[in-house]
């Protein structure tokens, strides 16, 4: 297969700017070149230095006025909730009853699941998101639909059937053993097929019995390369309810740990109200957090403390998630903006490098896919986005005033949205072009 080469201004994270000097964490190039073949990056660097490696049949696409970045990675998103984005006036537990559960009940219909899955994947790509960790519903067909839609564009998707056997409407409940059996069948059908990765997915401790949580842990032990996703400490009432349901456990984190669900393959949404002892357990276990700021603002859950999470004495890896539909946008640019604003309210100013890290390499590390996605480096998949820093009149004015690349990138994350995404490449194929 011939080379596909992308030329333009390059920017990528290569290390963690929360823990290392920023100058050691960023690679940028004013006139750069990404050489790809068979969907994988062969080389990245200065155009003048690499042009000699172009084969005679290479296809070169030049974006002289744009920025080339690794595709964004959404660490926490619910595709069955697309239809309820922007629903009015409820906090978490009421939100689930009033909006989420009725929306998820529709996914017993395979045709509905596939229609929403196709819309969802297209919307991710339009926003420059090339990988995502996706919550489905308790219906196995909802998993089939999202994996099939992702396979159509060779997109890296992590997803799993919701395990939920109590405290939800009857039409959404599964039995503990059935959830194990259905998950296992889906693992055999989809895990590792193309770029599909199965993720064990108990919704949260409130909707799973002790038996179901134990079976989720059994799946992780049986398959050493699975991931796990769930929720923790998003809302004060949720935490109180978890304590009522599991009075024998010391805290919310201890519930998951007891059932073998707290290890380096696990990522939990939110974690807003974790105690210091719980942060320590996350650090020791290597478990991760998906920070979902637009959702936390919209549902009124609280202010995540990024500085506390990334405490250098016991850092916990954090990825960035939109949490659609509690979250209000597919755009990781808007989600980075919300993360910055939330950190400001906590007395911390996130740098541009830290924000883009959260949305790319940080999310890849949180999901266990670093080396495959999240950075423009040789050996990674050629998941690349083209950002137009002058996509709107305001951005054009702001870009003209930016004296450095950092200033330009920061202005983009604060002021831009999907209109700034000029093109999206997945595994070296153009899958979205704005124009």
């Amino acid at each position: 297969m011939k080379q596909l080469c992308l030329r333009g201004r390059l920017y990528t994270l290569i290390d963690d700017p929360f823990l290392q000097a920023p100058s050691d964490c960023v690679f940028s190039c004013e006139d750069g070149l990404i050489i790809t073949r068979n969907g994988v990056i062969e080389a990245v660097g200065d155009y003048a230095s690499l042009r000699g490696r172009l084969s005679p049949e290479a296809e070169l696409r030049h974006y002289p006025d744009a920025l080339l970045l690794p595709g964004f990675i959404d660490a926490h998103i619910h595709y069955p909730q697309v239809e309820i984005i922007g629903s009015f006036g409820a906090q978490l537990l009421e939100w689930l009853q009033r909006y989420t559960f009725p929306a998820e009940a529709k996914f017993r219909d395979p045709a509905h699941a596939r229609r929403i899955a196709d819309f969802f994947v297209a919307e991710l790509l339009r926003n420059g998101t090339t990988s995502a960790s996706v919550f489905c519903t308790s219906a196995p067909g909802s998993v089939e639909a999202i994996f099939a839609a992702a396979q159509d564009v060779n997109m890296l998707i992590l997803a799993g059937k919701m395990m939920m056997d109590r405290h939800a409407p009857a039409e959404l409940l599964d039995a503990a053993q059935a959830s194990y059996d259905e998950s296992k069948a889906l693992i055999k059908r989809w895990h590792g097929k193309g770029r599909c990765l199965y993720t064990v997915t108990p919704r949260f401790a409130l909707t799973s019995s002790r038996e179901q949580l134990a079976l989720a842990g059994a799946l992780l032990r049986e398959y050493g390369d699975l991931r796990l996703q769930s929720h923790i400490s998003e809302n004060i009432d949720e935490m109180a309810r978890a304590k009522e349901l599991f009075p024998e456990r010391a805290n919310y984190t201890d519930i998951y740990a007891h059932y073998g669900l707290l290890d380096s393959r696990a990522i939990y949404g939110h974690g807003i109200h974790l105690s210091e002892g719980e942060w320590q357990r996350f650090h020791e276990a290597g478990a991760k957090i998906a920070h979902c700021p637009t959702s936390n603002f919209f549902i009124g859950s609280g202010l995540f403390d990024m500085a506390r999470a990334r405490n250098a004495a016991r850092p916990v890896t954090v990825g960035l998630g939109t949490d659609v539909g509690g979250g209000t946008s597919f755009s990781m640019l808007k989600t980075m903006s919300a993360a910055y604003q939330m950190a400001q309210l906590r007395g911390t100013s996130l740098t541009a490098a830290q924000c883009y890290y959260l949305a790319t390499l940080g999310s890849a590390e949180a999901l266990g896919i670093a080396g495959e996605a999240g950075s423009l480096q040789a050996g990674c998949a050629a998941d690349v986005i083209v950002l137009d820093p002058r996509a709107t009149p305001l951005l054009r004015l702001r870009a003209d005033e930016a004296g450095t690349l950092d200033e330009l990138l920061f202005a983009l994350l604060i002021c831009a949205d999907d209109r700034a995404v000029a093109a999206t490449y997945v595994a070296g194929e153009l899958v979205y072009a704005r124009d």
Side-chain angles (χ1 to χ4, degrees):
M1 186 175 181
K2 70 180 181 181
Q3 290 175 328
L4 170 68
C5 304
L6 306 177
R7 181 182 177 185
R9 196 175 190 183
L10 306 184
Y11 181 87
T12 187
L13 275 299
I14 57 175
D15 209 336
D16 183 347
F18 286 92
L19 303 178
Q20 309 294 334
S23 59
D24 297 331
C25 299
V26 171
F27 173 79
S28 63
C29 190
E30 190 68 29
D31 183 15
L33 185 67
I34 306 169
I35 301 175
T36 81
R37 191 190 299 271
N38 297 329
V40 177
I41 296 173
E42 285 189 336
V44 178
D46 180 72
Y47 174 76
S49 300
L50 290 179
R51 60 187 300 179
R53 294 182 57 174
L54 299 183
S55 60
E57 76 280 6
E59 180 181 357
L60 178 62
R61 299 179 187 173
H62 192 192
Y63 296 96
D65 301 316
L67 296 165
L68 305 183
L69 279 75
F72 295 132
I73 299 175
D74 193 331
H76 186 104
I77 187 168
H78 297 254
Y79 99 88
Q81 297 182 24
V82 169
E83 295 174 292
I84 62 169
I85 293 176
S87 298
F88 172 75
Q91 292 208 346
L92 177 63
L93 299 183
E94 184 184 356
W95 170 274
L96 292 173
Q97 296 292 337
R98 188 191 300 183
Y99 301 119
T100 301
F101 291 153
E104 290 184 358
K106 298 179 184 180
F107 283 74
R108 291 174 295 172
D109 176 2
H112 176 79
R114 186 58 198 259
R115 180 175 69 86
I116 298 300
D118 287 339
F119 175 88
F120 174 84
V121 166
E123 195 69 4
L124 288 176
L125 298 174
R126 192 173 67 81
N127 282 274
T129 298
T130 55
S131 301
S133 187
V134 183
F135 286 74
C136 303
T137 74
S138 56
S142 68
V143 184
E144 301 272 1
I146 193 62
F147 277 144
Q151 268 201 341
D152 284 349
V153 291
N154 201 19
M155 187 179 189
L156 197 168
I157 287 288
L158 305 93
K161 167 195 145 56
M162 194 84 77
M163 302 175 77
M164 186 165 60
D165 66 348
R166 63 174 180 173
H167 303 310
E171 64 267 26
L172 289 176
L173 295 179
D174 53 18
Q177 186 63 46
S179 71
Y180 170 87
D181 294 339
E182 290 170 350
S183 296
K184 197 161 186 175
L186 289 164
I187 291 165
K188 292 178 178 178
R189 175 165 167 75
W190 288 105
H191 184 59
K193 304 297 174 61
R195 302 182 75 195
C196 298
L197 297 173
Y198 195 86
T199 301
V200 179
T201 309
R203 170 172 243 122
F204 59 171
L206 278 64
T207 51
S208 284
S209 65
R210 290 164 177 79
E211 181 186 2
Q212 188 171 70
L213 292 176
L215 287 169
L219 283 171
L220 286 181
R221 290 190 297 275
E222 289 175 48
Y223 297 91
D225 60 345
L226 293 183
R227 282 77 169 168
L228 175 132
Q229 60 182 352
S230 190
H231 300 80
I232 193 168
S233 297
E234 178 181 0
N235 171 277
I236 297 296
D237 290 341
E238 166 212 5
M239 295 167 64
R241 183 66 174 141
K243 185 62 178 174
E244 290 175 7
L245 292 171
F246 296 89
E248 73 279 11
R249 304 268 58 94
N251 51 47
Y252 208 158
T253 299
D254 191 45
I255 297 170
Y256 293 124
H258 177 75
Y259 293 102
L261 305 178
L262 193 75
D263 68 12
S264 60
R265 293 178 288 158
I267 183 167
Y268 287 90
H270 308 293
I272 300 169
H273 306 289
L274 294 174
S275 67
E276 181 54 37
E278 290 176 288
W279 280 118
Q280 183 65 37
R281 290 194 77 171
F282 264 76
H283 168 72
E284 291 170 356
K288 320 299 196 301
I289 289 289
H291 175 36
C292 306
T294 70
S295 174
N296 300 160
F297 278 136
F298 184 70
I299 299 181
S301 301
L303 303 179
F304 181 76
D305 192 339
M306 183 66 72
R308 192 177 188 191
R310 304 301 341 264
N311 179 353
R314 49 113 195 91
V316 172
T317 300
V318 175
L320 194 64
T322 61
D323 196 28
V324 164
T328 53
S329 174
F330 279 83
S331 172
M332 292 295 281
L333 290 164
K334 293 180 75 69
T335 305
M336 282 189 275
S337 176
Y340 174 82
Q341 294 170 52
M342 188 171 289
Q344 285 287 86
L345 291 172
R346 283 288 199 175
T348 300
S349 296
L350 299 181
T351 67
Q354 289 171 336
C355 290
Y356 284 93
Y357 168 80
L358 291 171
T360 57
L361 181 58
S363 280
E365 291 174 343
L367 296 172
I369 56 173
E372 159 74 2
S375 189
L376 302 179
Q377 298 188 73
C380 286
D383 296 343
V384 182
I385 57 173
V386 181
L387 295 184
D388 176 3
R390 292 175 169 79
T392 68
L394 175 61
L395 285 175
R396 191 176 306 117
L397 180 69
R398 187 65 185 84
D400 289 341
E401 289 298 313
T404 67
L405 179 57
D406 263 8
E407 289 179 7
L408 178 61
L409 287 162
F410 186 76
L412 266 174
L413 76 89
I414 295 297
C415 300
D417 53 28
D418 58 284
R419 292 170 293 178
V421 180
T424 303
Y425 289 84
V426 169
E429 295 291 334
L430 181 66
V431 291
Y432 168 76
R434 184 189 59 194
D435 301 324

